């Protein structure tokens, strides 16, 4: 026997649950399926266990996509304030950490519990630990087969997310479905991910492991001023994660380790006012001691500043204000927070999230070619796109 649902959603993550809730509220009969044993694992591990669930500064400019205008409609239909209202309705206490980023005071589990409760109220049938064997379309209906069961629906929603963190359930299911239905996929790449380097830079990173500095990190015209962290694998921290979403293999990233100070001017002034001061001591006024020592060493400068040529000072200041380095790659999907690329937005209506070629087939959340900056924007995209599909499915 084949059971009928109005809406079947594959993927019970942030976007899938939000979509189920909205469709259920409209009285649609909804089946929500996930292959994971535990629901909402990505939410649980997000934001260091406190889930950075949205950003009060949500704006289309905070998203990367081949079509930067694609996000406008969904973000307008369901805003950060709508999600904040939902959180308040459930008495979940939260705070702004910095830069508009909102986190739970207690635990990300509160967000999962809230979504599951809303699903229950909306009469959603939830099947976890369930493998989908086949998806098919006959006329205007979509059919899915599980083990021995078969279902069909009018609206099929793909909410299977991206490729990051495979060990908690990420899969390429969404991209395979796109291929099956002849929809274009923008090439995927790990994003919001630590960057790796060849031996010389890696040796510096290893020596400085654990050290964090405020830095401006740029690639071409994109730059981010946030913390940067040296690790035994390379560079990480918010500014590096942000730039990783823009960086392309082969290109240099530029790091300003002292963004508030014009180092060459500072050094020339200091050479005049304190000619006998040691260069290591001077640089340690600007940067943490360990970093100052390594930078002086790399630039082969030591001794009194008066003994250093202006050329040497220029080179030294460049390596502080504009350190250009060439990443060899990233840590990949194992540690990436998100996946860049995905279902081409040309294929989807931005008003409804429905496929233009296949009425009734929807794509939402991270599986779509929309990637938010770090700071709660990726969840906001999941809530907004999920809500929109839930309204039209
Ligand atoms: C470590 C980490 C921390 C993060 N922190 C934040 C943060 O604080 N703020 C923020 O905005 N974003 C954060 N993100 C990003 C955010 O988690 C994602 O962008 C968001 O979860 C995407 O929602 P989604 O519903 O599209 O996909 P997901 O939440 O990934 O959900 C996809 C669901 O589909 C299921 N699925 C996959 N394949 C199949 C299949 N074949 N069959 C059935 N089910 C399947 C998965 O099990 C999963 O439950 C973080 C990501 C990571 C990895």
């Amino acid at each position: 026997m084949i059971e009928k649902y109005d809406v079947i959603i594959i993927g019970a993550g942030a976007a899938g649950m939000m979509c189920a809730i909205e469709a259920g509220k409209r009285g649609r009969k909804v089946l929500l399926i996930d292959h994971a044993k535990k629901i909402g694992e990505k939410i649980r591990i997000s934001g260091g266990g406190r889930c950075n669930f949205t950003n009060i500064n949500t704006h289309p400019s905070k998203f990367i996509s081949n079509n930067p205008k694609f996000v406008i409609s969904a973000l307008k239909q369901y805003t950060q304030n709508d999600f904040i209202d939902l959180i308040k309705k459930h008495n979940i206490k939260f705070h702004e950490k910095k830069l508009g980023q909102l986190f739970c005071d207690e635990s990300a589990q509160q967000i999962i519990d809230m979504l599951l409760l809303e699903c229950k109220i909306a009469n959603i049938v939830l099947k976890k630990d369930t493998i989908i064997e086949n998806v098919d379309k006959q006329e205007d209906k979509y059919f899915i087969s599980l083990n021995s069961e078969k279902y069909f629906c009018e609206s099929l929603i793909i909410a299977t997310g991206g490729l990051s963190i495979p060990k908690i359930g990420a899969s390429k299911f969404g991209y395979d479905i796109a291929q099956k239905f002849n929809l274009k996929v923008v090439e995927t790449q790990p994003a919001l991910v630590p960057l790796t380097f060849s031996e010389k830079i890696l040796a510096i990173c290893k020596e400085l492991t654990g050290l964090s500095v405020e830095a401006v990190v740029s690639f071409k015209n994109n730059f981010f001023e946030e913390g940067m962290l040296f690790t035994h694998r390379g560079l990480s921290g918010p500014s590096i994660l942000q730039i990783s979403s823009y960086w392309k293999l082969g290109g240099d990233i530029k790091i300003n380790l002292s963004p508030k100070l014009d180092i060459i001017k500072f050094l020339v002034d200091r050479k005049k006012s304190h000619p006998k001061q040691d260069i290591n001591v001077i640089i340690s006024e600007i940067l943490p001691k360990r970093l100052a020592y390594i930078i002086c060493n790399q630039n082969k400068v030591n001794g009194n500043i008066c003994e250093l040529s202006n050329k040497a000072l220029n080179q030294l200041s460049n390596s502080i204000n504009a350190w250009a380095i060439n990443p060899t790659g990233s840590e990949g999907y194992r540690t990436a927070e998100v996946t860049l690329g995905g279902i081409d937005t040309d294929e989807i209506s931005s008003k409804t999230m429905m496929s233009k070629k296949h009425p009734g087939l929807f794509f939402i959340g991270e599986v779509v070619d929309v990637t938010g900056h770090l700071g709660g924007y990726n969840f906001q995209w999941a809530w907004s796109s999920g809500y929109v599909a839930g309204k039209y499915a």
Side-chain angles (χ1 to χ4, degrees), residues 143-263:
F143 291 77
I144 64 161
S145 343
L146 314 176
N147 282 341
S148 52
E149 302 155 35
K150 255 192 161 185
Y151 300 92
F152 75 98
C153 59
E154 288 163 13
S155 298
L156 177 67
I157 322 279
I158 308 300
T160 44
L163 297 168
S164 60
I165 324 274
K167 74 171 182 213
I168 58 164
S171 82
K172 61 184 186 55
F173 185 88
Y175 314 119
D176 291 344
I177 292 288
Q179 199 181 19
K180 181 173 178 122
F181 287 94
N182 262 323
L183 305 175
K184 286 179 286 171
V185 175
V186 175
E187 197 184 336
T188 58
Q189 182 188 313
L192 297 181
V193 63
L195 296 175
T196 54
F197 297 88
S198 61
E199 273 314 305
K200 193 173 160 213
I201 304 294
L202 182 61
I204 296 175
C205 297
K206 279 183 176 164
E207 219 165 311
L208 295 170
T209 290
L211 184 76
S212 160
V213 288
E214 278 300 304
V216 174
V217 182
S218 56
F219 180 71
K220 298 191 171 160
N221 295 327
N222 304 290
F223 62 91
F224 293 91
E225 180 167 4
E226 287 184 61
M228 184 184 88
L229 179 69
F230 293 90
T231 77
H232 63 284
R233 291 201 207 96
L235 290 175
S236 186
S239 56
I240 292 291
L241 300 186
Q242 298 276 33
I243 214 65
S244 72
S245 301
Y246 289 91
W247 173 73
K248 293 279 172 278
L249 189 66
D252 279 356
I253 57 166
K254 233 179 223 170
I255 302 174
N256 186 343
L257 293 163
S258 181
K260 299 205 167 35
L261 192 65
D262 180 350
I263 303 287

Side-chain angles (χ1 to χ4, degrees), residues 132-149:
I132 289 153
E133 280 168 358
N134 196 32
V135 173
D136 233 331
K137 184 182 178 192
Q138 285 169 26
E139 290 163 14
D140 56 352
K141 307 258 181 309
Y142 294 88
F143 291 77
I144 64 161
S145 343
L146 314 176
N147 282 341
S148 52
E149 302 155 35

